[in-house]
Amino acid sequence: IGKYQEKLYQVDYMIRTNVTYLDGKEPQPDADTMYTRYTFSGSTLYISFYQAWDTYKQEWSSQHNQLTIGLDTYTIETLTDTSLTIALAGFRRVEFLSEEYLSSQDKNLVPQGEYNGKPLYLANNFITPRYSKRTSLYDEVQKDLEMSNIRQATNFLVTFVVTEEGKIENPQVVKSISPEYDRTIIERIQKTTKKWKPAYFKGKPVQTQLTYEVKYLPSIVPARSPLKIN
């Protein structure tokens, strides 16, 4: 195994912090400024646009300082215990910092009161619990859900707590669609209890509050929504 590949295994979760276009173009506001996380595991790269779960995966490999992701081959410009910078010639440079580094900064810990006599924090881009299965929580919760009773654009929003032990507790519907819909979503989310890794701050687990949101367009097509960050 090459030194770069071995190092990529060690850095684990990498969160994109900056994109520079090498052809002089401005970053795309949606694609290049949204939250993006890379997780290198074996020959699979898990990519996510959601803080608490993975979105999809691609194959990856490295040879010397060349990193191939899917059909693109990047040059690894820097790779340390906490940072990664890769560049695609004539296109763009992408910079990452490790989640471990970002989750140890005091400014990223957002107090949200107390729950069960312990401090509660708001999940955010850098300090968040993680659904432990290599899949999308959205896909599992929304799978085969009957939507025939939804006739107009609307959205559903529920908050819940992920404890220090990875349990799901205290689900609260903030924006309802219907009693039946609400009940189904809450039941499905509660079934994921103990399938979560708690959020960590400076290496210690903390309990956090997440917001799960789904938006429905007028065509009754659900639009995927990232975790809402207040």
Side-chain angles (χ1 to χ4, degrees), residues 74-110:
Y74 295 80
T75 297
I76 299 175
E77 295 185 340
T78 61
L79 178 58
T80 70
D81 291 339
T82 60
S83 65
L84 168 67
T85 302
I86 57 178
L88 189 60
F91 181 38
R92 65 178 182 173
R93 175 179 292 109
V94 188
E95 301 172 40
F96 298 84
L97 287 174
S98 72
E99 184 177 77
E100 182 178 3
Y101 168 76
L102 292 167
S103 67
S104 297
Q105 298 183 14
D106 291 337
K107 66 179 182 179
N108 292 329
L109 189 66
V110 183

Side-chain angles (χ1 to χ4, degrees), residues 12-21 27-40 45-51 56 69 74 82-86 91-99 102 125-126:
D12 201 17
Y13 302 121
M14 301 297 292
I15 297 173
R16 186 174 66 186
T17 56
N18 189 51
V19 177
T20 303
Y21 273 78
Q28 301 299 315
D30 293 329
D32 291 330
T33 59
M34 68 186 300
Y35 171 91
T36 305
R37 169 171 44 84
Y38 280 11
T39 308
F40 296 91
L45 170 63
Y46 294 92
I47 302 174
S48 184
F49 304 123
Y50 302 85
Q51 296 86 350
Y56 69 98
I69 300 173
Y74 295 80
T82 60
S83 65
L84 168 67
T85 302
I86 57 178
F91 181 38
R92 65 178 182 173
R93 175 179 292 109
V94 188
E95 301 172 40
F96 298 84
L97 287 174
S98 72
E99 184 177 77
L102 292 167
N125 286 348
F126 310 122

Side-chain angles (χ1 to χ4, degrees), residues 20 23 33 52 54 57 81 101 110 122 129 152 185 191 197 205:
T20 303
D23 57 6
T33 59
D54 293 323
K57 58 187 179 181
D81 291 339
Y101 168 76
V110 183
L122 186 66
Q152 59 184 0
I185 295 296
K191 286 181 179 179
K197 296 178 181 178

Side-chain angles (χ1 to χ4, degrees), residues 32-196:
D32 291 330
T33 59
M34 68 186 300
Y35 171 91
T36 305
R37 169 171 44 84
Y38 280 11
T39 308
F40 296 91
S41 177
S43 61
T44 303
L45 170 63
Y46 294 92
I47 302 174
S48 184
F49 304 123
Y50 302 85
Q51 296 86 350
W53 59 81
D54 293 323
T55 307
Y56 69 98
K57 58 187 179 181
Q58 283 189 319
E59 296 299 307
W60 75 279
S61 62
S62 69
Q63 186 173 11
H64 303 297
N65 68 335
Q66 300 298 296
L67 172 63
T68 300
I69 300 173
L71 300 177
D72 295 323
T73 298
Y74 295 80
T75 297
I76 299 175
E77 295 185 340
T78 61
L79 178 58
T80 70
D81 291 339
T82 60
S83 65
L84 168 67
T85 302
I86 57 178
L88 189 60
F91 181 38
R92 65 178 182 173
R93 175 179 292 109
V94 188
E95 301 172 40
F96 298 84
L97 287 174
S98 72
E99 184 177 77
E100 182 178 3
Y101 168 76
L102 292 167
S103 67
S104 297
Q105 298 183 14
D106 291 337
K107 66 179 182 179
N108 292 329
L109 189 66
V110 183
Q112 192 74 354
E114 288 190 357
Y115 175 72
N116 280 347
K118 295 182 179 181
L120 178 66
Y121 301 97
L122 186 66
N124 56 59
N125 286 348
F126 310 122
I127 299 176
T128 178
R130 183 126 318 122
Y131 191 47
S132 60
K133 298 180 69 176
R134 292 292 192 195
T135 186
S136 167
L137 176 69
Y138 176 94
D139 290 342
E140 293 202 1
V141 171
Q142 302 299 135
K143 184 178 180 181
D144 301 325
L145 197 62
E146 178 58 52
M147 312 310 309
S148 59
N149 62 332
I150 300 178
R151 301 298 181 187
Q152 59 184 0
T154 186
N155 68 312
F156 171 81
L157 193 152
V158 60
T159 65
F160 56 92
V161 172
V162 180
T163 69
E164 296 172 0
E165 295 77 29
K167 296 180 181 179
I168 301 296
E169 295 186 2
N170 197 36
Q172 300 287 331
V173 175
V174 179
K175 293 183 179 180
S176 171
I177 287 183
S178 70
E180 182 180 1
Y181 180 98
D182 300 352
R183 183 170 55 253
T184 298
I185 295 296
I186 288 178
E187 287 176 353
R188 291 184 177 188
I189 289 176
Q190 287 179 318
K191 286 181 179 179
T192 68
T193 193
K194 293 189 177 181
K195 294 181 180 178
W196 290 78

